[in-house]
Amino acid sequence: VDFDGANQKEDKFIVLQNLIKVLWSKNREELAAIYGGASGRKIFYYNTKTKDTSPYDTSIKALAFSKTNDKIAYYSSSDLQNTNSVFTANPNGSDAKMIFNTRVKDIRVEWISSNQIAISTAPSAFVSNVLWVLNTETQKLLPALSQIYGFTMKWAPSGSKLVFSQTNSKGANLALFTTNQTGTEVKNTNTATLPEKCVFSAQDENIIFCAVPKSAPDIVWPDDYYKYLYSAQEQIWSLNLVTGKN
């Protein structure tokens, strides 16, 4: 079936063992499939039109498709290859170009506009997190947020704003915040949920819809959520990021 629900047809069902996540290109013809398992994390490239498939280099730890171009950005870390850098490349990983070298380990990448990539440290309640915005053309790196525990994020489709989570250093007191791209207009939404449980309205980026637990469980945020230890009854809330009303 197409993404708009048209052209439905029956096909052979294939079980994808240990599939964790699928990342799609802007034209929905190419994807990166992330798998877990006893042998470790693996990422594969698929082209749904040509049926081409191949594994990405094992040094690639995080990957994101551009929203406007046929490109990916990825974070590569390998002691053997002596790399700890961010690259841009074609969707299948060819024609790679290093755009940022760093000493920071285990980072995340997200393409937020045609020439901007968000780079953040791995989310955890026990380590303060940092967010930067990298210009792929000038290779200029600008800090946006820092010293935030329990940090995860979700960007608006335009890349002009984001929502992010924050906790204390023990993973408690979860709160959802919003800010602009530069991190200079931080506001508390007074909502206890994670950005992963929210979506931006297609009509107005100042409106988000979030699944919010009726009573936040006593777990370590976001670590225990990623360990599938989260369980709660939820309500769907509509939040206005400008007025703060829900």
Side-chain angles (χ1 to χ4, degrees):
V1 63
D2 293 342
F3 281 89
D4 61 0
N7 298 321
Q8 297 184 34
K9 65 179 182 179
E10 187 175 348
D11 204 348
K12 183 180 179 181
F13 178 74
I14 300 175
V15 177
L16 301 176
Q17 296 287 347
N18 301 316
L19 179 65
I20 298 175
K21 190 175 183 179
V22 173
L23 305 171
W24 289 92
S25 65
K26 68 179 183 67
N27 60 12
R28 303 293 185 177
E29 292 182 353
E30 297 167 287
L31 63 94
I34 304 173
Y35 296 87
S39 60
R41 185 184 179 96
K42 297 180 180 179
I43 309 178
F44 284 81
Y45 163 80
Y46 294 95
N47 187 310
T48 61
K49 190 173 183 179
T50 65
K51 308 303 180 183
D52 290 340
T53 179
S54 59
Y56 285 105
D57 191 279
T58 56
S59 68
I60 296 178
K61 310 302 181 185
L63 181 149
F65 280 91
S66 169
K67 297 178 181 179
T68 58
N69 305 309
D70 292 324
K71 292 288 184 180
I72 60 170
Y74 65 82
Y75 163 63
S76 173
S77 179
S78 171
D79 292 334
L80 291 176
Q81 299 177 19
N82 194 28
T83 60
N84 196 65
S85 308
V86 175
F87 295 78
T88 57
N90 293 328
N92 62 0
S94 65
D95 195 23
K97 175 185 176 183
M98 188 184 76
I99 58 172
F100 176 60
N101 192 40
T102 179
R103 290 178 294 177
V104 180
K105 296 285 188 177
D106 198 14
I107 61 178
R108 303 293 185 266
V109 294
E110 184 169 351
W111 215 310
I112 62 174
S113 72
S114 61
N115 64 343
Q116 291 178 308
I117 296 171
I119 298 175
S120 60
T121 49
S124 176
F126 305 113
V127 179
S128 61
N129 303 120
V130 182
L131 170 66
W132 302 273
V133 175
L134 174 67
N135 187 303
T136 59
E137 296 175 354
T138 65
Q139 299 185 13
K140 187 175 183 179
L141 187 71
L142 296 177
L145 296 168
S146 63
Q147 302 300 311
I148 299 177
Y149 290 91
F151 178 80
T152 71
M153 63 183 175
K154 175 161 288 188
W155 287 85
S158 68
S160 63
K161 62 171 63 71
L162 68 146
V163 290
F164 68 92
S165 59
Q166 183 171 357
T167 67
N168 62 20
S169 59
K170 296 181 180 179
N173 301 333
L174 173 67
L176 184 73
F177 290 80
T178 181
T179 188
N180 59 347
Q181 187 188 101
T182 58
T184 57
E185 298 177 1
V186 177
K187 297 179 182 178
N188 192 337
T189 68
N190 297 308
T191 306
T193 194
L194 292 173
E196 291 89 332
K197 303 184 79 61
C198 300
V199 294
F200 281 86
S201 168
Q203 286 73 42
D204 184 352
E205 287 190 348
N206 291 318
I207 305 296
I208 60 171
F209 302 98
C210 299
V212 181
K214 290 183 178 180
S215 178
D218 184 19
I219 63 174
V220 176
W221 299 94
D223 304 61
D224 286 349
Y225 176 80
Y226 291 133
K227 296 175 183 175
Y228 305 104
L229 299 178
Y230 171 82
S231 178
Q233 288 186 319
E234 297 179 327
Q235 298 174 321
I236 303 299
W237 287 16
S238 172
L239 304 174
N240 189 305
L241 301 180
V242 175
T243 66
K245 294 181 180 180
N246 57 47

